[in-house]
Structure formats: C-alpha cells, structure tokens
Amino acid sequence: MDSGGLRRAYDELLHEVTAGRFGAPPAGQPSAEQIVAHLAANDELMSEATEAVLAGAPYAYYDPETLHRGELDALVAEHGGLAGLVTLLRATSGRLCALVERLGPTADTPVETHLREGFDLRVDEPLPWSRTLDLHTRVHLPKHLAQLRMLRDGGDA
C-alpha cells in the first residue's frame, strides 16, 4: 500500500478545505461542512478496520455513505463548523495514514467490504484491505475533492 499516495490525497483535500469560500450546495447535495464531517467519520471507520487488520482480528468495513444528514449536521455542530471540522479531519486522516504505514504484508488481509460510490462502484465482498485503501485514495477522496471544488464560491473550480 502506498501510504505516501494516501497522505498526498489528504494534503490536497485539506488544502482545498482550508482555502474556504464555499458556496451553498445545489438542492439535495451536501454542504462543504457535511462533506468534511463525512470524511472524518469515514476515517474513523477505516482506522478501526486498519487496527483490526494489524491485530489479526476479523472486521467488516461499511462505507458511511448511509450516514444521514442529521448525523452529519450533529457532527458539524459538535465541532463548531468548518474550522473545527478541518482540525478533526487533520487528526483523523493523520491517524489513518500512520496506521496504514504500519500495515506491511498485513495489508493484503481480506476484509469484508461494503461500499458505494454513486452508481460507478459497488463492493459487497471481501477485498484485500490494501485494495479498499487504494479505492479510498483513488476514488473516494477525489470524488469529495471535486464536490468541494464545485462548491467554491467564485473560485477556480
């Protein structure tokens, strides 16, 4: 697993988030705050799965796309908006990256994985954890980076 690629993906995402100036989302789409809350919640789940892999314990990973807006809004309120969520995301992503760097050969451990990325990607089967982390790095984080760029208020999206 290329933990450097994961760190670079988070660095790019955090750079975008700290730039701020997000506009209101289109109807039915998440706000910048909700996107960052979702990413932090997902990091927590991925960290738990990575810890289980490191410990040799069975684990099933469910992508939290099913988090309801109310749950995301509660997380936003708990952290005081975007600035607090950026601090949270720095912590959760840093923890995940540090755990991933420790994986070594255990990265190929199969983990029961359930995730959805819109209509493009559906996984409901055991995958090597390194594959799930790769999908997170190459599909999930870029998807949310693109969403944030589209919310840029008068920016260069």
Side-chain angles (χ1 to χ4, degrees):
M1 173 66 218
D2 175 21
S3 59
L6 182 61
R7 282 198 187 274
R8 283 188 298 279
Y10 274 113
D11 286 346
E12 186 176 8
L13 195 123
L14 284 161
H15 176 77
E16 191 70 25
V17 173
T18 56
R21 301 182 329 269
F22 297 107
Q29 296 297 310
S31 67
E33 291 85 356
Q34 289 169 328
I35 292 168
V36 176
H38 160 78
L39 289 167
N42 187 58
D43 287 351
E44 293 288 344
L45 294 174
M46 294 195 89
S47 289
E48 289 173 15
T50 305
E51 286 174 331
V53 167
L54 287 165
Y59 194 88
Y61 167 72
Y62 294 86
D63 179 55
E65 288 294 323
T66 58
L67 278 178
H68 300 287
R69 294 275 163 96
E71 293 171 293
L72 294 176
D73 291 342
L75 195 56
V76 170
E78 178 183 336
H79 290 279
L82 192 57
L85 289 167
V86 169
T87 300
L88 176 64
L89 184 60
R90 282 189 198 287
T92 60
S93 64
R95 178 174 173 240
L96 176 60
C97 289
L99 287 166
V100 168
E101 288 169 357
R102 294 176 37 207
L103 282 172
T106 62
D108 291 330
T109 301
V111 173
E112 186 65 37
T113 302
H114 306 275
L115 61 90
R116 308 274 182 276
E117 284 296 335
F119 299 106
D120 301 328
L121 177 66
R122 293 189 179 279
V123 177
D124 285 304
E125 63 184 307
L127 286 181
W129 189 235
S130 60
R131 177 70 178 129
T132 303
L133 290 166
D134 183 59
L135 289 169
H136 180 65
T137 302
R138 293 186 314 104
V139 178
H140 189 238
L141 294 177
K143 170 192 159 187
H144 292 303
L145 178 62
Q147 285 177 313
L148 289 165
R149 287 180 173 157
M150 288 187 338
L151 292 173
R152 175 82 52 229
D153 185 19
D156 52 2

